[in-house]
Amino acid sequence: MSKKKVLITGGAGFLGSHLCDRFIKEGYHVVAMDNLLTGDIGNIAHLMGNKDFEFQHHDVSKYVHVSGDLKYILHFASPASPIDYLKMPIQTMKVGSLGTLNCLGLAKEKGARMLIASTSEVYGDPLVHPQNEEYWGNVNPVGPRGVYDEAKRFQEALTMAYHTFHGLETRIVRIFNTFGPRMRLDDGRVLPAFISQALRGENLTAFGDGSQTRSFTYVDDLVEGIFRLLNSEYAQPVNIGNPEEITINEFGEEIIRLTGSKSKIIYKDLPKDDPKQRKPDITLAKKVLDWEPKFTRAQGLEPTLEYFQKKVLG
């Protein structure tokens, strides 16, 4: 087989499916693995006839096997939104621990380079703003969000242990809020929630007083950052995100304007341990990867809104 092979776990998910597209475009043979717990086969349906693409319906928390040579493993399998990991806390912990262990074992066996999808949630509800990679975080390990935050923190520690003890080539990306086509309508995150509510003419549900901030990265920018990190020689964690910060209230008003909706913003209690601020410091990504986001939020919202209009309105 002449083409280099890459395994993408969580390959039918929002981010995983976009990574599948990128690696096919770059000339790789892609193996997408997903148990479809939160992934959607529709996200990769367009790749099913491609001779350089194969799909394995499988849970990486049990074991992982891929035949033949393997160049890269990208471990993106995990519930990633609060509504999912609060509903599936054990599976979330298992895929971050056992799933990561299985993937690292496969990488060691194949001599493959492995990149893990970590998250800005490792910083918890941050006491440092913006968040840089030197910040160790403010996480409640026994709170409701701890199952996700600590799974990712453990995942980073385990990956670094394989790197230092076994000499395995590993990369760690800390992903900040990302959006784009193929997000699930019901995944509980603010962007799909606001857009789908506005399109249906419903009021937008904000939590707390709406003053908390988020920084939204368009998916194509994220994929580019991940691709550069994978091909770099940098083994420590790297933030990939858009440092343009916006309050939830401002974002809600932006979505109402974009959709032409008559919706209003209504408020509910802020969930426990919900981060009040989220903004990446991307100094390291600029220096090490020569990366920074190219898409403005407005540019990214255009194709995203078009995708949601088809999903919500048909």
Side-chain angles (χ1 to χ4, degrees):
M1 190 164 135
S2 57
K3 293 200 171 183
K4 290 170 182 171
K5 190 186 289 185
V6 55
L7 168 65
I8 301 174
T9 74
F14 163 49
L15 296 181
S17 65
H18 283 280
L19 285 165
C20 289
D21 287 342
R22 176 63 185 263
F23 278 88
I24 291 285
K25 186 180 170 188
E26 295 286 344
Y28 288 83
H29 182 89
V30 173
V31 180
M33 194 175 281
D34 204 303
N35 65 354
L36 302 179
L37 199 63
T38 60
D40 183 350
I41 203 77
N43 289 337
I44 50 172
H46 63 289
L47 296 173
M48 287 303 193
N50 192 315
K51 62 180 173 35
D52 291 319
F53 179 79
E54 55 183 289
F55 174 67
Q56 292 186 19
H57 184 193
H58 180 67
D59 182 353
V60 297
S61 299
K62 296 176 179 175
Y63 66 90
V64 184
H65 172 72
V66 174
S67 61
D69 293 336
L70 197 55
K71 177 76 172 173
Y72 299 126
I73 298 172
L74 287 87
H75 184 33
F76 277 70
S78 177
S81 73
I83 202 167
D84 289 335
Y85 57 70
L86 294 176
K87 203 187 332 179
M88 298 175 275
I90 309 300
Q91 292 98 322
T92 301
M93 295 293 284
K94 283 174 78 173
V95 76
S97 55
L98 299 174
T100 304
L101 184 66
N102 290 336
C103 289
L104 286 163
L106 180 65
K108 182 170 173 280
E109 177 197 334
K110 301 284 187 181
R113 179 177 290 187
M114 176 160 154
L115 180 144
I116 63 161
S118 189
T119 169
S120 60
E121 297 299 328
V122 299
Y123 301 122
D125 187 7
L127 305 175
V128 168
H129 193 74
Q131 296 82 57
N132 64 36
E133 292 85 352
E134 301 301 311
Y135 178 51
W136 293 348
N138 176 40
V139 173
N140 177 1
V142 294
R145 299 175 71 99
V147 295
Y148 184 65
D149 300 0
E150 295 294 4
K152 290 297 187 180
R153 287 161 71 94
F154 176 82
Q155 184 183 48
E156 286 194 12
L158 184 61
T159 298
M160 194 51 68
Y162 264 73
H163 173 74
T164 53
F165 188 76
H166 290 301
L168 191 68
E169 288 197 18
T170 58
R171 304 292 178 263
I172 300 171
V173 58
R174 288 181 180 160
I175 298 168
F176 282 69
N177 295 72
T178 305
F179 72 97
R182 301 181 199 160
M183 291 189 91
R184 277 187 16 239
L185 295 179
D186 61 347
D187 84 349
R189 284 183 264 204
V190 65
L191 189 142
F194 275 7
I195 293 181
S196 54
Q197 285 171 335
L199 289 174
R200 292 185 184 115
E202 301 167 0
N203 287 329
L204 276 55
T205 307
F207 295 95
D209 61 5
S211 65
Q212 63 270 42
T213 67
R214 294 294 181 267
S215 306
F216 297 102
T217 314
Y218 186 57
V219 64
D220 287 5
D221 277 332
L222 180 80
V223 167
E224 177 63 28
I226 289 167
F227 196 78
R228 290 190 188 198
L229 176 59
L230 180 68
N231 287 287
S232 77
E233 296 307 312
Y234 193 79
Q236 296 293 321
V238 179
N239 289 340
I240 298 291
N242 191 323
E244 188 182 339
E245 193 177 13
I246 188 171
T247 70
I248 297 300
N249 281 331
E250 289 168 338
F251 185 60
E253 296 295 345
E254 187 170 276
I255 295 301
I256 288 168
R257 280 197 308 276
L258 270 175
T259 56
S261 169
K262 293 185 168 55
S263 305
K264 293 183 168 49
I265 302 173
I266 59 171
Y267 299 92
K268 293 190 175 180
D269 290 341
L270 192 69
K272 186 174 170 57
D273 302 325
D274 194 63
K276 312 294 186 303
Q277 293 177 303
R278 186 66 85 223
K279 176 181 176 178
D281 181 329
I282 59 168
T283 305
L284 185 62
K286 286 179 179 177
K287 180 183 171 186
V288 174
L289 309 177
D290 190 26
W291 176 91
E292 60 183 318
K294 303 289 184 224
F295 289 85
T296 64
R297 193 170 56 253
Q299 287 170 326
L301 279 171
E302 197 175 318
T304 307
L305 186 57
E306 193 179 315
Y307 174 82
F308 275 84
Q309 282 170 330
K310 286 176 186 167
K311 283 281 183 184
V312 175
L313 306 173

